[in-house]
Amino acid sequence: MVYVTTLPATYSTTLQSAQRVGRPSFQKFLAPVSCTQCDGEDTLPCLILLENVVGFERSWMSACATADASSGDGNEADQHQPSTQQSQESEPSGSFQMWRKVLAQREYQVGHFHLDPTHLRLPNNRPRYYCVAFRRGSLQARLMKSGNGNIRMGFNVKKHNLFTIESLSNEPVIHTEKSIQEYHVVPTIPNIKSFLDADISSKKQSLQIPEKVRMSSSAWCFDLVTPYHLRSSCFTHSYGKFIRGTGSILYYGQLRLGDSAVGDESNSQWSTVDLKEDNKDVDENDTTIPTIDKFQLALPEERSFEEDWSAAIDWDTSMRYLSGGREIPFPEPAVGEESNKSSSTDGAKMRMFSFPQSCAMKQQWKLLGNSLNVRVAATVAEIGISSILSEL
């Protein structure tokens, strides 16, 4: 049995997670692993995959901070006396710490990950916390009991040295993309142009940024990207409704190269190969055309408000929301239907995905904002399945 789940982001806040662990919704979340009335260990999941926002794993620190603060209260004599309060301080008091305790009690091998789509060849930032946990020997015992023998389902089985039984007294080890590069080759990331619709004439109006939005004082908070960028901001379900922190908008007009693009084939934020080719006829002295530098993402402390920040931008012909309608290729699984396939440039079979025509643009944005990245989730699932199959 595989347990795949996510947890509402409300359980990720370190200040209130301790109060929320007693709620029925959180107990239901823990139930498949923590149930005390299970009919033997065969009812426990062989593999667990959990996704949450980055920060969920920090609730263990709030428990430690609370304990440290409490231990500093009272006089010196009281601190040497055992008390009910001190005994309670050793108990997990946070959603993440409670999660770790349950996994440790059930002797799960656990790996914690911080992964982002940009780590896996997608130009979009959506950092998420993932947890992979499996029980050694559990799958083999069930296969032997059922008489199915050794099955590996065509997976490329690898031994991952990323897992350990949780120790609640120690800080959790969070693995990043560097930890999985040994097992998964991360190719060069393409620019946003590779994912744009070739023809948006039928939906151009729905992608237009309304004048009242772009004239708003908060419009300065828009994250602007170009087709040549290697990144875009995390999308939320409020994309197209609000401005700050909801996702990037696209500038698709002419660009001057500027000083930062001269002589460089790549930049940490954009690729200049297509940039130079598509804008080779642009007059570098024409100040009515913005330079690529204008779209460089800067740290908040390095930003300063400019009254004329969008003076060189034609909002009607050069700026729009990003759409979700283009067909996106995904690797074809080993076993699957023969329909709806195409081939990628390297000859690998791919399965195409696109939203149905009945799904409105705003609904596509909401679905995108409320979802996780399929490629990252698939990588996490592969690590988990490969790990448990390596035990066979």
Side-chain angles (χ1 to χ4, degrees):
M1 178 170 64
V2 178
Y3 181 36
V4 181
T5 185
T6 186
L7 188 64
T10 53
Y11 289 94
S12 304
T13 57
T14 59
L15 295 179
Q16 298 180 339
S17 61
Q19 287 74 29
R20 291 189 171 113
V21 295
R23 293 184 179 179
S25 56
F26 187 76
Q27 295 306 312
K28 289 180 181 179
F29 161 73
L30 291 178
V33 185
S34 64
C35 59
T36 57
Q37 300 178 352
C38 295
D39 297 329
E41 293 190 353
D42 287 351
T43 58
L44 294 172
C46 295
L47 175 64
I48 300 173
L49 305 173
L50 169 70
E51 176 268 349
N52 209 312
V53 296
V54 171
F56 170 63
E57 75 288 350
R58 288 199 292 268
S59 64
W60 80 276
M61 292 190 293
S62 68
C64 296
T66 301
D68 291 341
S70 299
S71 64
D73 296 337
N75 57 45
E76 184 177 353
D78 292 338
Q79 293 177 17
H80 290 286
Q81 297 295 325
S83 65
T84 302
Q85 180 184 18
Q86 287 175 331
S87 64
Q88 290 176 342
E89 288 170 1
S90 62
E91 291 296 314
S93 58
S95 51
F96 179 67
Q97 195 75 339
M98 183 65 73
W99 172 245
R100 296 179 71 200
K101 177 186 176 183
V102 170
L103 294 178
Q105 288 175 336
R106 295 300 185 177
E107 297 184 337
Y108 276 92
Q109 297 287 324
V110 184
H112 305 282
F113 301 86
H114 279 176
L115 296 175
D116 186 89
T118 56
H119 303 154
L120 297 169
R121 201 174 176 264
L122 288 172
N124 179 243
N125 295 116
R126 195 176 184 84
R128 286 294 183 270
Y129 161 83
Y130 294 90
C131 176
V132 179
F134 68 95
R135 303 183 72 245
R136 292 195 184 280
S138 58
L139 179 60
Q140 185 175 18
R142 294 185 192 188
L143 290 176
M144 292 179 65
K145 187 175 181 179
S146 63
N148 288 328
N150 186 358
I151 57 173
R152 299 204 174 196
M153 299 177 286
F155 275 91
N156 182 18
V157 177
K158 298 178 181 179
K159 191 79 170 180
H160 297 277
N161 298 317
L162 305 171
F163 301 92
T164 184
I165 293 180
E166 291 285 73
S167 174
L168 300 185
S169 61
N170 296 330
E171 181 178 353
V173 176
I174 307 296
H175 299 290
T176 64
E177 76 281 4
K178 295 181 180 179
S179 300
I180 67 171
Q181 284 178 351
E182 178 182 352
Y183 311 102
H184 300 271
V185 178
V186 181
T188 304
I189 188 171
N191 56 31
I192 292 176
K193 181 181 178 181
S194 307
F195 298 87
L196 295 179
D197 288 321
D199 182 15
I200 61 167
S201 56
S202 61
K203 48 190 174 184
K204 186 174 182 179
Q205 185 174 358
S206 63
L207 298 177
Q208 201 78 25
I209 299 172
E211 183 176 2
K212 66 176 182 179
V213 174
R214 67 198 194 205
M215 295 302 293
S216 168
S217 59
S218 59
W220 181 67
C221 298
F222 266 130
D223 178 60
L224 310 180
V225 296
T226 72
Y228 316 104
H229 271 70
L230 305 177
R231 55 151 297 274
S232 56
S233 294
C234 178
F235 293 94
T236 74
H237 72 285
S238 296
Y239 186 69
K241 183 178 181 181
F242 298 112
I243 296 174
R244 185 191 299 269
T246 59
S248 304
I249 59 174
L250 179 72
Y251 173 83
Y252 58 99
Q254 290 184 315
L255 284 166
R256 288 183 292 149
L257 300 183
D259 295 335
S260 65
V262 177
D264 289 330
E265 289 302 315
S266 63
N267 178 283
S268 60
Q269 294 191 29
W270 57 74
S271 172
T272 60
V273 177
D274 288 336
L275 171 64
K276 291 179 178 179
E277 178 62 27
D278 294 349
N279 297 276
K280 60 185 178 182
D281 296 328
V282 173
D283 184 0
E284 287 292 317
N285 297 317
D286 188 348
T287 57
T288 63
I289 300 175
T291 64
I292 187 68
D293 299 333
K294 198 171 189 68
F295 302 93
Q296 175 139 351
L297 181 67
L299 295 174
E301 59 269 20
E302 297 176 353
R303 302 183 66 188
S304 59
F305 179 75
E306 298 176 8
E307 193 71 36
D308 60 344
W309 68 273
S310 63
I313 296 176
D314 187 331
W315 287 84
D316 293 321
T317 62
S318 302
M319 194 76 77
R320 66 174 176 87
Y321 289 116
L322 289 162
S323 71
R326 180 175 183 257
E327 287 192 332
I328 303 297
F330 288 95
E332 176 67 23
V335 179
E337 299 175 357
E338 295 298 322
S339 59
N340 197 26
K341 293 182 182 178
S342 67
S343 295
S344 65
T345 55
D346 59 2
K349 292 182 178 179
M350 307 294 284
R351 183 180 295 275
M352 305 304 292
F353 167 82
S354 61
F355 287 103
Q357 293 184 352
S358 58
C359 188
M361 187 63 64
K362 289 186 177 181
Q363 186 61 31
Q364 292 178 28
W365 290 338
K366 288 183 179 180
L367 289 171
L368 177 64
N370 288 328
S371 66
L372 51 75
N373 185 273
V374 175
R375 188 172 294 178
V376 180
T379 299
V380 172
E382 182 183 351
I383 290 174
I385 295 173
S386 179
S387 297
I388 198 170
L389 290 178
S390 70
E391 299 290 314
L392 298 178

